[in-house]
Amino acid sequence: QISPITTTTTKSIKPNNKQYTMSKFLAIAEAYGPAMTKAMTEGDISDLKSLFVEEPVSVVLQTAEGEELGFTIGDAAAEDGGEVTMSWTEFQTLCAKDLASQDYQKSVSDCCGVLGDRFILETARLNQEGVAYLVAFYVVTCKDGKISMMEAFSFVDASSLVQKATK
């Protein structure tokens, strides 16, 4: 299981003349697990969606074959006029479908390190017995204190997302 972060430093970091604090990234990382749990078990995506920027979010997942798959999630067209791959509601529906077959109970998350406007997010899915059956690591990029991009460096076992993103 993920061990909780014990540091509460608020050392300032200034990438691109913007000031971020370690505590802001810790807060996002700590909120991600409970927000994902609420979205997947109750169907309420509002807490999860509040962690992300309003414009489309770029996501990069690793397939079971180890290939990179990129897509976007959002409720509006991208600033460049491009379409989003899926809405937030569709994202929630597809993820919940995958997790229903996995004896999913909840998600937990933690911040493993910060570099400028990015941090490493460790997440785990726990089954009904409270055992972590999947652990994934992401590089998360933030913009104005919210997540703007997530890149997975582990297979996240999300076949419905992969199918939708490859259509």
Side-chain angles (χ1 to χ4, degrees):
Q1 280 194 346
I2 297 175
S3 55
I5 293 284
T6 55
T7 181
T8 56
T9 181
T10 56
K11 182 179 177 188
S12 294
I13 304 166
K14 294 183 180 181
N16 304 324
N17 296 324
K18 293 182 183 179
Q19 187 162 338
Y20 293 87
T21 62
M22 178 76 92
S23 61
K24 180 65 177 174
F25 292 119
L26 289 172
I28 292 170
E30 289 173 2
Y32 184 86
M36 181 62 86
T37 300
K38 185 176 181 182
M40 296 307 115
T41 60
E42 299 174 23
D44 182 354
I45 200 157
S46 59
D47 290 351
L48 182 65
K49 194 174 166 184
S50 74
L51 298 173
F52 292 84
V53 294
E54 289 192 25
E55 59 265 17
V57 175
S58 297
V59 178
V60 179
L61 293 181
Q62 189 177 113
T63 66
E65 295 78 29
E67 296 175 11
E68 182 179 304
L69 176 67
F71 60 94
T72 56
I73 305 169
D75 290 330
E79 288 179 15
D80 63 5
E83 294 184 24
V84 296
T85 308
M86 67 189 75
S87 69
W88 281 104
T89 301
E90 193 170 18
F91 169 79
Q92 185 278 329
T93 301
L94 292 170
C95 287
K97 176 184 170 186
D98 287 337
L99 298 179
S101 66
Q102 298 173 7
D103 196 30
Y104 174 82
Q105 178 192 36
K106 68 179 182 177
S107 295
V108 294
S109 54
D110 210 345
C111 176
C112 297
V114 174
L115 179 61
D117 62 351
R118 297 172 292 163
F119 70 95
I120 299 170
L121 176 69
E122 180 183 15
T123 66
R125 292 183 199 157
L126 279 62
N127 62 21
Q128 296 297 323
E129 296 175 4
V131 176
Y133 66 90
L134 188 137
V135 176
F137 292 89
Y138 298 84
V139 171
V140 175
T141 303
C142 290
K143 176 181 169 186
D144 300 324
K146 296 206 175 225
I147 299 170
S148 62
M149 182 173 189
M150 293 183 75
E151 300 170 272
F153 285 85
S154 309
F155 173 59
V156 295
D157 197 10
S159 60
S160 294
L161 287 181
V162 170
Q163 287 174 354
K164 172 65 179 176
T166 56
K167 287 185 179 180

